[in-house]
């Protein structure tokens, strides 16, 4: 099963989030777990700061985890990937509302 298929299955099986913050946390977790079956690039906050151009270039190709004090704090991804994930989320939300499920 490809990472993309796993992403869709995971998103469908997750109950609708209560807040936008929870929604973004779910998207970050999904992105961090697997991106097309590979581990994501990881940068320290310091490396991200001093190599911002590299961060942007890498994030356009695949999501990048940025760590602070050894703990993942954000995932940076291309706007196209973010929009694709938001579209999936909105479709699932619309489907849940259409089937009578409550948020």
């Amino acid at each position: 099963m490809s990472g993309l298929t796993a992403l869709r299955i995971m998103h469908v099986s997750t109950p609708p989030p209560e807040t936008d913050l929870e929604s973004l946390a779910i998207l970050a977790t999904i992105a961090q777990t697997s991106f097309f079956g590979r581990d994501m690039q990881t940068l320290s906050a310091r490396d991200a700061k001093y190599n911002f151009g590299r961060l942007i270039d890498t994030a356009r190709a695949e999501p990048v985890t940025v760590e602070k004090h050894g703990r993942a704090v954000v995932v940076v991804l291309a706007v196209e990937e973010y929009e694709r994930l938001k579209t999936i989320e909105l479709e699932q939300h619309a489907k849940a509302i259409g089937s009578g499920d409550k948020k």
Side-chain angles (χ1 to χ4, degrees), residues 4-5 13 23 28-29 34 46 51 55 57-58 74 77 80 82 89 93 95 97 102:
L4 184 58
T5 304
S13 65
S23 177
T29 301
S34 174
R46 177 182 295 210
N51 299 292
L55 172 63
D57 291 343
T58 305
V74 297
L77 60 139
E80 295 85 3
Y82 173 78
E89 177 185 36
H93 182 69
K95 192 182 296 183
I97 289 173
K102 292 184 179 180

Side-chain angles (χ1 to χ4, degrees), residues 43-71:
L43 291 175
S44 68
R46 177 182 295 210
D47 288 341
K49 177 181 178 179
Y50 291 111
N51 299 292
F52 192 67
R54 176 178 166 228
L55 172 63
I56 291 172
D57 291 343
T58 305
R60 291 196 46 132
E62 63 180 300
V64 179
T65 301
V66 178
E67 294 182 341
K68 193 167 186 175
H69 305 293
R71 184 174 73 79

Side-chain angles (χ1 to χ4, degrees), residues 33-44:
T33 304
S34 174
F35 185 74
F36 298 105
R38 302 186 312 235
D39 288 333
M40 282 196 314
Q41 292 280 330
T42 301
L43 291 175
S44 68

